[in-house]
Amino acid sequence: MTAVVPPEHAVHRRLRAAPQSVVVLSLAVLADVEQLTHRLVEVIVAENPSYSGPGHTPREDLQHSCRDNLLRILQWLTGTTDPGTDPFDAPRATGQRRAEQGMPLESVLHAYRLGYRIIWEGLVSQARADGGVDGLVEAASEVWAIVDEFSSIVANSYRETEAEFVRRDDHRRDALLDALLEGRGAERTVAADAATALDLPEHGRFAVVVLAGEDASRPAGSALREAGMRVAWRNRTDREIGVVWLGRAEPSDVVGALQCVPGVRAGVSPAVDGLAKVDVAHRLAETALRALPTGEPLVGELDARLPGALVVTAPDLSARLVRRALGGVLDLDRDERTVLLDTLRSWLDTGGSAGQTAARLCCHRNTVLNRLRRLEGLTDRSLERVDHLVEWSLALLALDVLPTERAPRAVASR
């Protein structure tokens, strides 16, 4: 992995060359860099538990890093950096390596502060020996500006490396989630690897949520977590797919949680056992979403939308059913067609009660009966036949859930 190197001149603009009094002192300290390195390593190991505990940075690595950073700082102070050499390669390399090793950034910066203390003590000791303490004090701001710059570079390098790890982890996480959704969960190690990457159990009860549109997964995820469920999201162009570990919850609990999210439109699958079967749940959740009335912000569980699911899984047959079941009603002008279809819908919803239908539509009971007789004539169907009632029910449902281009509803007005 290569850390991003900022343009060298951008750094030079922020720093000034050290005053001559500091240059002289730093040259003397530079000559003792090996001894300074040894002291610094001992101090870091003694004062910073992260460098001495389990999984700590190897001693040889720490020794090498300390020497390189001390050398680069002292070379900057003395103006002896070799031409063509990046004067900040040591802090960049250190930040990258410590991020790769999982060392906390605060521990890395603490080690740097210890290094600067070692350098400052060396400069002060040399200044006292040479009688140049006053000059060192006057130049303190320039010295600490260099210290700050090295600290900033090591921190930036660390964060850039850490961010790259996050991007890689996200990419791997998405790839494993895609593998589950595509039906590869039964392949060797896929479900186990996905469980680790997604922080979900490999076995247990799962449901899949499919959200229409974008930017709803954050509030939806919060609602599910508050209900005691865990979810892993995969965002696609016009869908957000959530794999939900149910625990002791049921798909109906998923629906209840999502219904508290304003404006959400989602399909929820039945429960399946284990991550290996998430692909089945995904297909059923997509079907549940498609079975919702078009355009409305609703949350639908598949088992509560089975008639609509049947309609959307056979759109060509459903469109044909609409035409045959509703016949001449579809050829009426928009207003008349809407009145008759609303009457039929209300009559079916009320279990065939003309009185309740009249109350819903704010009209007389006889008006309802006249409209129903007209429907019978236009469709060649009978209110007395169960199979005709089933056809009418499915046809009305198809008008609600099929895309406009599939449902024969936009017939030109005459």
Side-chain angles (χ1 to χ4, degrees):
M1 184 186 303
T2 302
V4 178
V5 179
E8 205 171 297
H9 63 82
V11 179
H12 285 303
R13 282 203 304 269
R14 292 196 295 270
L15 297 177
R16 293 185 295 177
Q20 187 59 33
S21 59
V22 174
V23 171
V24 173
L25 295 174
S26 300
L27 284 170
V29 176
L30 179 59
D32 197 26
V33 70
E34 302 300 337
Q35 183 60 32
L36 289 178
T37 299
H38 177 74
R39 285 175 54 201
L40 177 57
V41 170
E42 295 302 321
V43 170
I44 289 174
V45 172
E47 296 190 19
N48 198 328
S50 297
Y51 283 87
S52 57
H56 61 82
T57 298
R59 184 68 171 243
E60 183 179 352
D61 183 351
L62 182 57
Q63 180 94 12
H64 179 78
S65 175
C66 287
R67 184 184 185 281
D68 285 351
N69 281 278
L70 290 172
L71 189 63
R72 286 291 184 253
I73 294 172
L74 291 168
Q75 285 176 338
W76 183 278
L77 290 171
T78 58
T80 58
T81 305
D82 293 336
T85 297
D86 176 9
F88 305 105
D89 56 0
R92 288 195 186 98
T94 299
Q96 178 178 323
R97 283 204 309 277
R98 298 299 174 260
E100 292 169 348
Q101 293 166 349
M103 181 72 66
L105 178 57
E106 180 54 40
S107 294
V108 179
L109 294 176
H110 181 237
Y112 258 73
R113 288 192 292 271
L114 293 175
Y116 304 143
R117 190 178 78 188
I118 293 291
I119 291 176
W120 184 252
E121 289 173 353
L123 291 172
V124 170
S125 177
Q126 192 63 42
R128 285 173 176 163
D130 295 348
V133 173
D134 291 342
L136 179 60
V137 171
E138 291 177 3
S141 61
E142 283 82 1
V143 174
W144 288 106
I146 295 170
V147 166
D148 287 344
E149 186 61 39
F150 272 70
S151 292
S152 175
I153 290 170
V154 75
N156 288 340
S157 177
Y158 182 101
R159 293 189 183 102
E160 288 165 1
T161 304
E162 195 173 47
E164 179 61 24
F165 285 155
V166 170
R167 286 191 292 270
R168 289 185 180 183
D169 287 345
D170 285 347
H171 179 75
R172 182 172 183 272
R173 177 184 175 281
D174 287 348
L176 285 167
L177 192 46
D178 284 341
L180 293 178
L181 297 174
E182 293 163 5
R184 293 167 48 204
E187 295 180 14
R188 182 175 176 269
T189 78
V190 169
D193 290 347
T196 300
L198 302 174
D199 191 26
L200 295 173
E202 181 180 354
H203 305 288
R205 297 170 65 253
F206 291 88
V208 169
V209 172
V210 178
L211 305 179
E214 301 177 22
D215 301 326
S217 60
R218 187 182 299 275
S222 296
L224 292 170
R225 285 191 296 274
E226 289 175 6
M229 291 168 270
R230 298 213 310 261
V231 57
W233 291 102
R234 181 69 172 105
N235 296 341
R236 293 183 174 168
T237 304
D238 61 345
R239 291 283 192 273
E240 293 180 292
I241 304 164
V243 175
V244 183
W245 177 62
L246 294 171
R248 296 182 178 180
E250 297 294 336
S252 57
D253 297 314
V254 176
V255 173
L258 294 178
Q259 284 175 334
C260 298
V261 181
V264 72
R265 179 177 168 84
V268 179
S269 77
V272 296
D273 293 323
L275 285 177
K277 295 183 180 178
V278 158
D279 61 312
V280 176
H282 176 215
R283 290 195 298 272
L284 295 177
E286 285 279 3
T287 301
L289 177 61
R290 291 166 53 209
L292 297 177
T294 56
E296 296 184 34
L298 294 172
V299 180
E301 182 184 353
L302 180 75
D303 287 348
R305 299 276 175 174
L306 289 176
L310 290 173
V311 168
V312 297
T313 52
D316 292 331
L317 286 176
S318 298
R320 186 174 181 83
L321 172 65
V322 171
R323 169 53 66 182
R324 288 183 59 82
L326 297 177
V329 177
L330 299 176
D331 297 326
L332 300 174
D333 64 62
R334 182 184 301 275
D335 291 342
E336 191 174 6
R337 182 173 71 240
T338 299
V339 167
L340 291 181
L341 292 179
D342 285 348
T343 300
L344 177 60
R345 192 186 306 275
S346 295
W347 185 77
L348 291 170
D349 288 346
T350 59
S353 170
Q356 291 182 43
T357 300
R360 281 192 179 189
L361 300 179
C362 300
C363 64
H364 195 276
R365 181 175 181 277
N366 288 339
T367 302
V368 171
L369 294 175
N370 288 335
R371 291 175 184 174
L372 292 174
R373 282 193 291 270
R374 185 146 189 254
L375 274 162
E376 286 182 309
L378 288 169
T379 62
D380 195 25
R381 296 291 187 275
S382 171
L383 300 174
E384 307 298 326
R385 289 188 52 172
V386 173
D387 59 332
H388 288 175
L389 298 181
V390 170
E391 288 183 11
W392 269 341
S393 296
L394 290 175
L396 290 172
L397 185 57
L399 290 178
D400 287 338
V401 302
L402 287 181
T404 302
E405 65 272 14
R406 303 302 295 268
R409 62 196 301 181
V411 181
S413 298
R414 296 191 301 181

